[in-house]
Amino acid sequence: EQINYPIIAPFATFMVCVLLSPRIALFSAVFLSLVCSVSLAVAHSKFLILNLVVSLIVIICTKNVRKRKEIFSVFAKAALGSVPLLYVFTLSENQFWSPSLMIDIGSSFFFLLVSAILAAGLLPVFESVFRILTEMTLVEYLDSSNPLLRRLALEVPGTYQHSLVVAHLAESCATEIGANALFCRASALYHDIGKILNPQFYTENQGIAVDMHQLLTPIESAEVIISHVTDGEILARKHRLPQAFIDAIRQHHGT
């Protein structure tokens, strides 16, 4: 028995949906399914319908993906969604059950499992090459176990609390104007990491201690405060933060 309906389009659909947008992913799914249905030696109409429906399931499920392990959940749902459709194809041939149905179901699960593995492996590569920040990557940077955030919380707790407040404010503002709220929240968490190097010179970290600026001239005091921007950029590059985060660090006091 041969594989009647290879499920090819959902892999590309998922990648485009995550890296670009659901609308472009839908266009890609339609275009790829049409091209493959014409060029491959398959049952054209059924191949087209199956790939389009499964791709649509992938697009719908991908909207809620925030963690990389959820990639497999997306393709598992797509695989389950293909089963009723394959059964309908069998019924359309006036058969209640056939050996080819089991082969088609097995091949569908196989194709979608391979797609999930390829997507999980290749997605970080595409993100790095094209410098795209997906929601999955942003959620990873929001994790409090991130080395830089841990340093911020332990070494400059006052600045860490300040950053949390700024992050929530940035997220709220971004939501109101239709900007990328998740990016604004994540980048705001890192905007003051430069204060890690000289924490005692910033009010939120001084507590009841002596104000260090009393020991400096006004010019020296200003230079120390301003330096947290360049220090933050150095730390960000050392820890390989995204360029968009570095831009936010450099510009959070103006251009």
Side-chain angles (χ1 to χ4, degrees):
E1 293 284 348
Q2 65 175 2
I3 297 173
N4 296 314
Y5 318 113
I7 302 181
I8 302 170
F11 166 70
T13 301
F14 175 82
M15 297 294 285
V16 173
C17 189
V18 172
L19 294 171
L20 297 176
S21 75
R23 287 185 179 183
I24 300 176
L26 181 59
F27 173 81
S28 301
V30 173
F31 177 78
L32 187 61
S33 298
L34 284 170
V35 170
C36 290
S37 66
V38 172
S39 58
L40 297 178
V42 293
H44 303 309
S45 58
K46 293 177 180 178
F47 171 88
L48 178 62
I49 294 170
L50 182 62
N51 274 267
L52 282 177
V53 170
V54 174
S55 295
L56 188 59
I57 295 172
V58 167
I59 291 172
I60 293 171
C61 295
T62 301
K63 291 181 180 179
N64 300 317
V65 172
R66 291 291 182 90
K67 297 179 180 178
R68 298 193 186 277
K69 63 182 180 181
E70 293 175 352
I71 292 174
F72 291 91
S73 175
V74 170
F75 283 96
K77 292 174 183 176
L80 291 174
S82 69
V83 175
L85 195 56
L86 289 169
Y87 189 66
V88 169
F89 291 163
T90 300
L91 291 177
S92 68
E93 297 172 356
N94 296 321
Q95 292 181 314
F96 183 76
W97 182 90
S98 68
S100 64
L101 173 61
M102 301 309 298
I103 294 174
D104 290 336
I105 292 174
S107 66
S108 297
F109 275 76
F110 172 76
F111 274 107
L112 290 168
L113 175 61
V114 172
S115 296
I117 294 171
L118 287 175
L122 292 177
L123 192 57
V125 176
F126 281 95
E127 288 179 83
S128 177
V129 171
F130 297 104
R131 295 186 178 182
I132 296 174
L133 284 173
T134 65
E135 289 194 357
M136 286 178 279
T137 300
L138 291 171
V139 168
E140 289 170 359
Y141 280 113
L142 286 170
D143 190 343
S144 58
S145 64
N146 182 283
L148 261 181
L149 290 185
R150 284 182 62 84
R151 283 192 65 186
L152 200 63
L154 294 174
E155 298 177 30
V156 280
T159 297
Y160 180 64
Q161 292 302 317
H162 160 71
S163 297
L164 286 174
V165 172
V166 172
H168 286 297
L169 286 172
E171 182 180 30
S172 298
C173 293
T175 300
E176 288 297 320
I177 65 174
N180 189 331
L182 191 62
F183 166 75
C184 291
R185 180 182 171 191
S187 59
L189 273 182
Y190 294 84
H191 81 280
D192 265 349
I193 57 173
K195 292 181 179 179
I196 291 174
L197 301 183
N198 293 297
Q200 69 278 13
F201 286 97
Y202 304 95
T203 305
E204 67 266 23
N205 302 310
Q206 288 175 349
I208 59 173
V210 177
D211 184 357
M212 298 298 293
H213 292 282
Q214 294 178 352
L215 308 176
L216 304 175
T217 66
I219 293 177
E220 291 173 332
S221 180
E223 287 176 348
V224 171
I225 292 174
I226 294 170
S227 69
H228 83 275
V229 174
T230 52
D231 290 342
E233 182 181 356
I234 292 170
L235 271 175
R237 294 192 185 281
K238 180 180 178 182
H239 287 265
R240 298 182 179 180
L241 293 187
Q243 183 60 46
F245 281 28
I246 295 173
D247 292 339
I249 292 169
R250 292 176 62 187
Q251 299 172 28
H252 78 271
H253 280 295
T255 60

